[in-house]
Amino acid sequence: MNANEAPQEAAQPPKAPKRQKILVAEDNPVVRKGLNNFLVKWGYEPIEADNGDTAWNALETDPTITLAILDWNIPGLSGMQVCQRIRMRAEGPYVYTVIFSARSSIEEQVLALEGGADDYLVKPAKPSLLRARLGVGQRILSLLAGPKSGPAK
């Protein structure tokens, strides 16, 4: 190689797509582990919280969390209180929120949706239904992010 030639760079392998972070606020360790296993399998990066205070702290300190599965009945702040705080904050990204609860009455589901939740799933839920609902959340988040800039035409 002479002094005028630039060294050739080794071809870099393509970077793996970044996993989308999703908050999982569930106090039952067995349910939380099951959710996490499915989420990892589906390509998400679960962020665990076993109480509402930890969940809220995660959302406040990590703006890359834009999906959340919140159990209604968790210690500390309830899942609904976390959801309401998300909706009341002045700054931060939109967080698509799914309340995941054993509360199965229509009145409670309506209360959650009117209280700021984007979706509601009754425990136990089929994994395929959760996956489909999270897909809806991703579509909505993509719409909120606006059009992707592509090559100029």
Side-chain angles (χ1 to χ4, degrees):
M1 174 187 323
N2 74 35
N4 294 335
E5 290 181 30
Q8 289 187 352
E9 293 184 29
Q12 297 293 322
K15 289 185 178 180
K18 190 170 184 178
R19 289 178 167 261
Q20 184 170 8
K21 290 183 181 177
I22 182 167
L23 177 66
V24 179
E26 169 62 61
D27 60 323
N28 181 320
V30 174
V31 174
R32 193 172 61 245
K33 176 71 172 160
L35 285 170
N36 284 349
N37 288 343
F38 280 113
L39 293 168
V40 168
K41 179 179 169 184
W42 298 336
Y44 294 97
E45 180 184 339
I47 306 300
E48 293 185 44
D50 63 1
N51 65 69
D53 299 316
T54 302
W56 177 244
N57 185 54
L59 289 164
E60 282 291 280
T61 58
D62 188 346
T64 64
I65 299 172
T66 55
L67 286 169
I69 300 171
L70 306 173
D71 180 11
W72 190 320
N73 298 318
I74 50 178
L77 293 170
S78 72
M80 276 309 304
Q81 288 172 317
V82 172
C83 182
Q84 289 166 344
R85 282 188 178 196
I86 292 168
R87 298 298 175 242
M88 290 188 314
R89 69 183 179 179
E91 294 185 16
Y94 189 85
V95 178
Y96 187 87
T97 306
V98 178
I99 297 294
F100 189 56
S101 178
R103 296 179 182 211
S104 60
S105 77
I106 297 298
E107 294 79 16
E108 288 168 317
Q109 293 177 48
V110 169
L111 185 63
L113 295 168
E114 288 179 346
D118 294 296
D119 207 340
Y120 192 100
L121 277 175
V122 177
K123 291 180 195 175
K126 295 267 188 201
S128 58
L129 184 56
L130 174 61
R131 186 176 191 180
R133 302 281 179 96
L134 293 175
V136 169
Q138 288 183 311
R139 283 197 305 272
I140 290 172
L141 290 169
S142 291
L143 288 170
L144 291 173
K148 302 282 185 219
S149 58
K153 292 186 179 185

